[in-house]
Amino acid sequence: MLDQLQDLLLILIGSSLVSNVVLSQFLGLCPFLGVSKKVETAAGMGTAVIFVITLSSAVAGVIYKYALVPLNITYLQTIVFILVIAALVQFVEMVLKKYMVSLYNALGVYLPLITTNCAVLGVALTNVQKKYGILAGTVNGFATALGFTIAIIILAGIREKMAYNDVPESFKGMPVVLITAGLMAIAFCGFSGLSLK
């Protein structure tokens, strides 16, 4: 039991900080760069990503373990995971629209955007590749989404501060954002010194 908790903690730290999905694996860059202009919208996107990636990791893990493996059709995992993610996002969107209108309005366009976020599929495939069980895969999904949220909120905070700075004309706009993201990636390399399995 203690070993399992230790393994889950290592997955949590490793996936959120050491192997940050955006800054070290370069997945989910489109929403990372596009939705990070304000901290408020970045936090909304991060919350939606945490919810969807955690839920899709659990559902994809169950389908993989109890459907794809017993039927010996694991070669269809990518197609099945894409369908699961798309269906799950649509289902979540319908439920929120019907029962939680204020949350649905707050998330706005961010929820459908998550369907096209490659990080969601990347987590499901990573869970299979690393042979995580359903619980470990769900923790990995949560930790990955948490790392995405941390990175996008930090970038949004920096971008809000940069709006008031005097930036050379050739660096205005996306060039300075890409430089900032690169510096953040270098800073996150400092977490690689953590001893993980």
Side-chain angles (χ1 to χ4, degrees):
M1 180 67 177
L2 188 60
D3 287 342
Q4 186 181 13
L5 285 175
Q6 184 181 11
D7 289 343
L8 293 177
L9 183 62
L10 289 173
I11 290 171
L12 184 69
I13 293 169
S15 295
S16 60
L17 298 176
V18 178
S19 299
N20 188 284
V21 70
V22 177
L23 300 174
S24 68
Q25 297 178 21
F26 307 113
L27 295 175
L29 286 176
C30 295
F32 176 69
L33 297 173
V35 189
S36 60
K37 292 180 182 173
K38 294 185 178 182
V39 172
E40 185 179 340
T41 56
M45 182 64 168
T47 303
V49 166
I50 287 174
F51 183 72
V52 170
I53 289 184
T54 304
L55 201 55
S56 67
S57 295
V59 172
V62 168
I63 289 174
Y64 184 80
K65 182 175 182 178
Y66 295 110
L68 297 180
V69 171
L71 294 172
N72 198 24
I73 53 172
T74 55
Y75 57 89
L76 294 175
Q77 69 187 12
T78 304
I79 296 169
V80 171
F81 291 165
I82 289 171
L83 293 173
V84 165
I85 291 163
L88 188 61
V89 170
Q90 290 300 315
F91 175 74
V92 168
E93 187 176 5
M94 288 187 302
V95 168
L96 290 179
K97 190 174 185 179
K98 183 162 181 141
Y99 297 109
M100 300 177 194
V101 179
S102 60
L103 181 58
Y104 174 78
N105 291 333
L107 292 177
V109 72
Y110 304 127
L111 198 56
L113 275 176
I114 296 170
T115 307
T116 60
N117 188 342
C118 59
V120 184
L121 178 61
V123 170
L125 294 174
T126 299
N127 289 342
V128 171
Q129 183 183 27
K130 291 188 176 180
K131 297 181 177 155
Y132 287 151
I134 296 170
L135 177 62
T138 305
V139 169
N140 183 49
F142 172 77
T144 301
L146 182 65
F148 175 87
T149 303
I150 291 168
I152 197 170
I153 289 175
I154 290 172
L155 182 63
I158 293 171
R159 285 180 76 173
E160 281 185 358
K161 298 291 182 194
M162 281 192 310
Y164 301 107
N165 292 339
D166 186 28
V167 178
E169 191 65 37
S170 59
F171 287 103
K172 284 187 178 174
M174 196 51 67
V176 74
V177 174
L178 291 172
I179 291 170
T180 304
L183 292 172
M184 285 176 59
I186 292 170
F188 267 69
C189 284
F191 290 117
S192 64
L194 295 173
S195 59
L196 300 174
K197 286 196 216 180

